[in-house]
Amino acid sequence: MGVITGLFSWLNAQLLKMTWLSELIRLLVEKGFGLSIQTRLGGSIHFFIYDVIKIFILLSVLIFVISYIQSYFPPERTKKLLGGVKGIKGNILGALLGTITPFCSCSSIPLFIGFTSAGLPLGVTFSFLISSPLVDLASMLILTSFFGIKIAIAYVVVGLILAVTGGTIIDKLGLEKYVEGYVREAENIDLEPIELSRRERVEYARDQVKDIIKKVWLYVLIGVGIGAAIHNWIPQSIVENVIGQNNPFAVILATAVGIPMYADIFGTIPIAEALFAKGVGVGTVLSFMMAVTALSLPSMIMLSKVVKPKLLGVFIAIVAIGILIIGYLFNAIPFILI
Amino acid sequence: MEIKILGSGCMNCKKLYANAEAAVGELGVSAQITKVEDFKEITKYGVMRTPAIVINEKVKAFGKISTVEEIKKFIQE
């Protein structure tokens, strides 16, 4: 048993945390720039280079592997799998499929219309829509890399609970009439599924890596820049008073700041990492990450084209309240995680 | 021949449109290429992932940017 856990933590340290890379960059900063990483400038440079390289390596490898797996679960198939599953089972399945179905906010409208026209309950579609950007294999592995396996699992579990609960509430409220008319009237069409060869799956995965890097590289650099600033330049006391244990409204603040932000987990994680290192509560950090990934201005604008303001408002309110509850809960019981 | 490119006008749709133009040009066939950006129209084809390419009202590919070579094959089918 000891050997296995030892091996696991070694693999985690080397492959996911990349301690070897941290050492390498430390040597570079100390020998190359002649700066100790204990100094502010040296520490910032180390944080920046190390995080940027680490995130891009993780991003490329993870997106490749995950896209390959996702190529087996196109939304057309998800739509069929979800058809006929009733009640909370449908919400659970919707939330789970949301984690493995490839999703891009630019496709969220045709996907929403496709699901609705296939007769899926509104709540099931929303369970899918909440979990899809929030929880996936990539976020689970990247969280393991930065925060350890316990926080990663906690994030995934509460993310799924949020998706299932949110969808169920929307279902119970009977908000179908707040879906735009043309969406409800759309005819259901099942396309012939396109069978992919292994080569095509590899090509698909490679294209995904390229697309996603093109889309997020700037957010990653900005995120790591902010992270480095928090890490080395902003005094501990300010962080603690504004967003740390000293401020009872820290979770609300983190959620409110995170909601309009548009970034995925790769851009968010360096900020979260730096906040966490400064002693910000784990719940506050989780709330921030969830608010950034689950709700963003572009996705709300997209959704507003298929649902009326009332339903959009209910959706935002449910997700935001869920995130707040998660934040306060995890701040109150951090000892389970650390 | 009628070729339709379905998509909300994002980068990928523009690339697919350009590829379709190139394929038509290389084959020297006469074809009318139109962009379909209205979601009501897009969903009529059952497409849930854009961009998609439709030739003579048949969905040939979706959720990816088909290459010039692939589009040439679709046209010749």
Side-chain angles (χ1 to χ4, degrees), chain A residues 74-76 79 102 106-107 109-111 113-115 182 186-187 189 191-192 194 204 211 214 305, chain B residues 8 10 12 15 38-40 42-50 59-65 70:
Chain A
E76 297 78 32
K79 187 176 90 171
C106 53
S107 271
I109 297 174
L111 194 128
I113 301 175
F115 279 17
Y182 77 91
E187 208 183 319
I189 296 156
L191 282 178
E192 283 288 304
I194 294 176
Y204 168 78
D211 277 1
K214 240 188 267 167
K305 291 180 183 164
Chain B
S8 54
C10 52
N12 292 346
K15 272 189 220 147
D38 185 16
F39 287 113
K40 284 179 217 174
I42 292 174
T43 42
K44 277 188 190 153
Y45 294 95
V47 167
M48 287 202 283
R49 280 178 294 157
T50 56
V59 179
K60 292 292 185 183
F62 50 87
K64 60 179 272 195
I65 306 166
E70 282 166 337

Side-chain angles (χ1 to χ4, degrees), chain A residues 30-65:
Chain A
E30 290 183 348
K31 302 275 182 283
F33 295 90
L35 289 164
S36 160
I37 61 166
Q38 303 306 328
T39 63
R40 264 191 184 176
L41 189 61
S44 309
I45 296 174
H46 179 264
F47 185 96
F48 191 84
I49 301 179
Y50 166 56
D51 261 38
V52 165
I53 298 179
K54 182 162 97 166
I55 288 176
F56 278 105
I57 294 176
L58 282 172
L59 191 118
S60 309
V61 176
L62 293 181
I63 299 291
F64 186 87
V65 173

Side-chain angles (χ1 to χ4, degrees), chain A residues 25 31 46 56 65 147 200 207 233 274 276:
Chain A
I25 305 298
K31 302 275 182 283
H46 179 264
F56 278 105
V65 173
F147 296 119
E200 283 169 318
D207 288 347
W233 297 88
F276 190 60

Side-chain angles (χ1 to χ4, degrees), chain A:
Chain A
M1 205 43 209
V3 179
I4 295 169
T5 44
L7 184 71
F8 178 79
S9 58
W10 183 82
L11 280 176
N12 184 33
Q14 296 303 325
L15 291 179
L16 287 174
K17 274 200 179 132
M18 298 187 210
T19 40
W20 55 272
L21 182 68
S22 175
E23 276 305 296
L24 207 67
I25 305 298
R26 185 180 63 82
L27 283 177
L28 175 81
V29 173
E30 290 183 348
K31 302 275 182 283
F33 295 90
L35 289 164
S36 160
I37 61 166
Q38 303 306 328
T39 63
R40 264 191 184 176
L41 189 61
S44 309
I45 296 174
H46 179 264
F47 185 96
F48 191 84
I49 301 179
Y50 166 56
D51 261 38
V52 165
I53 298 179
K54 182 162 97 166
I55 288 176
F56 278 105
I57 294 176
L58 282 172
L59 191 118
S60 309
V61 176
L62 293 181
I63 299 291
F64 186 87
V65 173
I66 284 149
S67 300
Y68 191 86
I69 299 170
Q70 284 180 336
S71 71
Y72 289 93
F73 295 91
E76 297 78 32
R77 197 169 163 204
T78 298
K79 187 176 90 171
K80 276 199 186 142
L81 286 172
L82 283 173
V85 188
K86 297 252 154 32
I88 193 154
K89 273 190 206 154
N91 294 91
I92 294 170
L93 192 62
L96 287 174
L97 285 168
T99 65
I100 44 170
T101 305
F103 177 81
C104 138
S105 60
C106 53
S107 271
S108 60
I109 297 174
L111 194 128
F112 186 90
I113 301 175
F115 279 17
T116 309
S117 65
L120 295 186
L122 193 59
V124 173
T125 305
F126 270 100
S127 283
F128 178 90
L129 283 178
I130 296 171
S131 98
S132 196
L134 191 63
V135 190
D136 60 20
L137 278 163
S139 55
M140 159 114 192
L141 287 170
I142 204 152
L143 281 166
T144 309
S145 158
F146 282 84
F147 296 119
I149 187 89
K150 279 187 192 163
I151 292 183
I153 290 174
Y155 177 89
V156 170
V157 170
V158 295
L160 288 173
I161 292 174
L162 176 62
V164 172
T165 321
T168 308
I169 295 174
I170 287 176
D171 224 28
K172 293 277 180 277
L173 290 175
L175 297 163
E176 280 73 15
K177 59 178 179 291
Y178 297 107
V179 175
E180 291 291 349
Y182 77 91
V183 177
R184 277 177 289 161
E185 282 149 24
E187 208 183 319
N188 180 37
I189 296 156
D190 287 314
L191 282 178
E192 283 288 304
I194 294 176
E195 261 316 305
L196 297 173
S197 65
R198 195 198 303 177
R199 219 194 72 207
E200 283 169 318
R201 289 186 203 282
V202 170
E203 275 172 15
Y204 168 78
R206 204 194 49 207
D207 288 347
Q208 284 300 103
V209 173
K210 269 196 258 170
D211 277 1
I212 289 174
I213 287 188
K214 240 188 267 167
K215 223 164 54 184
V216 305
W217 69 270
L218 189 61
Y219 296 106
V220 171
L221 290 188
I222 295 172
V224 178
I226 297 174
I230 296 172
H231 198 263
N232 298 88
W233 297 88
I234 298 176
Q236 182 97 21
S237 58
I238 292 187
V239 176
E240 269 171 14
N241 286 326
V242 174
I243 203 171
Q245 320 289 16
N246 301 347
N247 182 355
F249 301 106
V251 173
I252 298 174
L253 185 70
T255 309
V257 170
I259 287 176
M261 277 175 65
Y262 175 57
D264 67 357
I265 188 117
F266 296 103
T268 328
I269 202 113
I271 303 176
E273 177 196 18
L275 290 174
F276 190 60
K278 285 266 170 175
V280 172
V282 68
T284 312
V285 172
L286 285 181
S287 291
F288 174 69
M289 281 193 293
M290 290 187 151
V292 173
T293 47
L295 296 170
S296 69
L297 271 181
S299 72
M300 288 178 210
I301 292 168
M302 283 283 176
L303 266 178
S304 70
K305 291 180 183 164
V306 282
V307 303
K308 292 178 184 161
K310 180 160 183 189
L311 178 49
L312 185 66
V314 170
F315 163 70
I316 295 169
I318 289 175
V319 177
I321 292 169
I323 291 173
L324 291 178
I325 295 173
I326 290 169
Y328 281 109
L329 200 68
F330 277 97
N331 274 351
I333 46 162
F335 51 86
I336 311 179
L337 296 168
I338 305 158

